[in-house]
Amino acid sequence: MNFITPVELPAHLPCLRHTDHLLLLGSCFAANMGARFTEAKFSCDVNPYGVLYNPLSISAALREIVFGKVYGKEDLFFFRDCWHSPMHHGDFSSPLADETLKRINGRIAGAHEQIFRSACLLLTFGTSWVYEQKNTGRIVGNCHKLPEKEFTRRRLTIDEIVSDYVSLLSGLLARNSGLKVIFTVSPIRYVREGMHANQLSKSVLLLAVDRLQTAFPENVFYFPAYELVLDELRDYRFYAEDMVHPSEVAVQYVWERFSSACFSSETLQIIEESENIRKALAHKPFHPGSEEYKRFLGQIVLKIDRLNGKYPYLDFQKERELCHTRLKI
């Protein structure tokens, strides 16, 4: 008997390798998946603007990355004792404008350096609802708890999203014809909108991505994270305490389905060996200074050396430093 509604994965998703540079932007779900890419030793930049929810803020961030925008104090505003950027998550905010600008410009510079060498963009749309500043008409990435009266809240149309991304992707592909773009729609429900409004919002995103696939059949792909959570994991035990965000188990399940669709057997083997090293280092010894534990750490270093010898592009610097620090205890 089958106790789930299986979601069929697309047959021709890009095959991603550890030699590929990846750029992930979008909602909290993009951050969750990005953390797994990082743990799996992929070269990737995850949310250089922090979490972004709507398609037009994501595309605006990509354009700024492409042009290497340098933020100045005129791009910030001061509210509740901190300097904020309307394009960035609150993680970039600071009581000092110079500190906020340092955080913002550092991340943009890093992403700009890699954007045209990236093999794949993974973009996660969260909602088609946006907040436009009344005084500028600009769609913001984050309201930073400014009074709601300062914004006009509206839902994007399919045509708006498609038109914006056709222009954006045409420019990116002109510079990097081999670029692959994988879209996902976040399974996180925006309950503030109401359940029906949330479904309408998600449908706009799904239809927009479908049209983009038609416009760029060789470069644009869709991975059904939304459907996997809502159809295969149709149970509240797969949600966090707020009953809105997917649980760690659900995110891990989606990651495993993504891995099976986008990774070769060699890539999966690298991930497994890297995960074994990570788990070994997470082990808490009863006697950190013992010779037995030092031999254990030495074995981990040997495993890292062996894996790096075969795949020199894998970055194990943090793991090496941790081993050497513990060996000195």
Side-chain angles (χ1 to χ4, degrees):
M1 296 179 68
N2 193 354
F3 291 100
I4 65 170
T5 307
V7 174
E8 185 177 351
L9 299 183
H12 302 293
L13 286 166
C15 184
L16 304 180
R17 301 173 177 83
H18 280 85
T19 50
D20 297 329
H21 182 79
L22 314 175
L23 175 60
L24 292 85
L25 289 99
S27 78
C28 303
F29 190 75
N32 288 332
M33 294 295 285
R36 280 160 172 77
F37 272 105
T38 301
E39 286 181 355
K41 294 302 173 186
F42 279 87
S43 171
C44 59
D45 194 346
V46 183
N47 276 344
Y49 280 61
V51 173
L52 296 171
Y53 299 98
N54 74 79
L56 296 198
S57 289
I58 294 170
S59 64
L62 275 169
R63 286 186 172 91
E64 291 185 356
I65 289 170
V66 167
F67 291 112
K69 178 178 171 65
V70 177
Y71 273 67
K73 195 171 180 180
E74 67 277 5
D75 296 306
L76 309 179
F77 66 93
F78 191 74
F79 180 67
R80 289 187 176 178
D81 300 323
C82 280
W83 288 92
H84 309 276
S85 160
M87 273 295 294
H88 290 77
H89 189 268
D91 289 344
F92 290 84
S93 301
S94 167
L96 300 175
D98 286 347
E99 181 62 31
T100 301
L101 292 172
K102 181 180 177 181
R103 294 172 184 174
I104 289 171
N105 290 326
R107 290 300 303 275
I108 293 177
H112 173 73
E113 186 179 338
Q114 294 287 346
I115 183 68
F116 293 113
R117 287 183 282 177
S118 294
C120 185
L121 301 179
L122 291 98
L123 308 180
T124 301
F125 293 165
T127 180
S128 55
W129 287 98
V130 297
Y131 286 82
E132 288 180 336
Q133 287 179 312
K134 290 182 178 178
N135 62 336
T136 65
R138 183 185 183 188
I139 293 173
V140 300
N142 197 304
C143 296
H144 297 288
K145 299 184 179 179
L146 284 166
E148 198 160 339
K149 65 182 181 181
E150 295 189 17
F151 301 95
T152 299
R153 181 173 176 268
R154 68 177 182 88
R155 193 172 63 217
L156 298 172
T157 67
I158 299 168
D159 287 341
E160 276 182 285
I161 299 170
V162 172
S163 175
D164 185 60
Y165 274 82
V166 166
S167 172
L168 172 66
L169 295 178
S170 295
L172 288 172
L173 292 171
R175 296 279 297 272
N176 182 1
S177 61
L179 179 69
K180 306 299 182 185
V181 183
I182 301 176
F183 285 99
T184 61
V185 171
S186 171
I188 298 170
R189 295 168 299 164
Y190 292 82
V191 294
R192 179 184 175 184
E193 300 166 2
M195 290 305 181
H196 180 61
N198 174 71
Q199 290 295 87
L200 293 175
S201 170
K202 300 290 188 184
S203 68
V204 168
L205 303 177
L206 292 165
L207 288 167
V209 172
D210 187 65
R211 282 176 53 180
L212 290 170
Q213 282 185 280
T214 301
F216 302 94
E218 301 299 319
N219 300 89
V220 171
F221 306 86
Y222 175 70
F223 180 77
Y226 178 78
E227 291 80 359
L228 284 170
V229 174
L230 268 70
D231 288 310
E232 288 197 5
L233 305 182
R234 196 186 302 172
D235 192 304
Y236 276 109
R237 65 195 166 110
F238 295 111
Y239 286 83
E241 289 182 3
D242 63 5
M243 297 299 155
V244 172
H245 289 76
S247 67
E248 281 295 308
V249 171
V251 175
Q252 181 62 25
Y253 180 79
V254 175
W255 167 253
E256 290 174 3
R257 295 298 302 276
F258 183 92
S259 300
S260 68
C262 295
F263 299 154
S264 68
S265 57
E266 182 180 36
T267 299
L268 290 170
Q269 182 63 33
I270 294 172
I271 292 172
E272 182 180 354
E273 293 185 40
S274 300
E275 178 66 8
N276 289 339
I277 290 170
R278 190 184 69 81
K279 286 180 177 178
L281 279 172
H283 173 72
K284 294 183 179 180
F286 288 112
H287 304 290
S290 68
E291 289 301 316
E292 181 183 4
Y293 184 60
K294 289 180 179 181
R295 285 194 295 272
F296 175 75
L297 291 172
Q299 289 298 314
I300 295 175
V301 173
L302 287 175
K303 288 180 181 179
I304 292 173
D305 289 341
R306 193 178 304 120
L307 199 55
N308 256 161
K310 192 173 182 181
Y311 307 105
Y313 44 80
L314 299 178
D315 183 4
F316 283 101
Q317 182 179 348
K318 289 182 180 179
E319 289 81 0
R320 288 180 185 278
E321 290 176 354
L322 184 58
C323 284
H324 290 308
T325 299
R326 291 179 180 180
L327 282 166
K328 292 177 182 177
I329 294 176

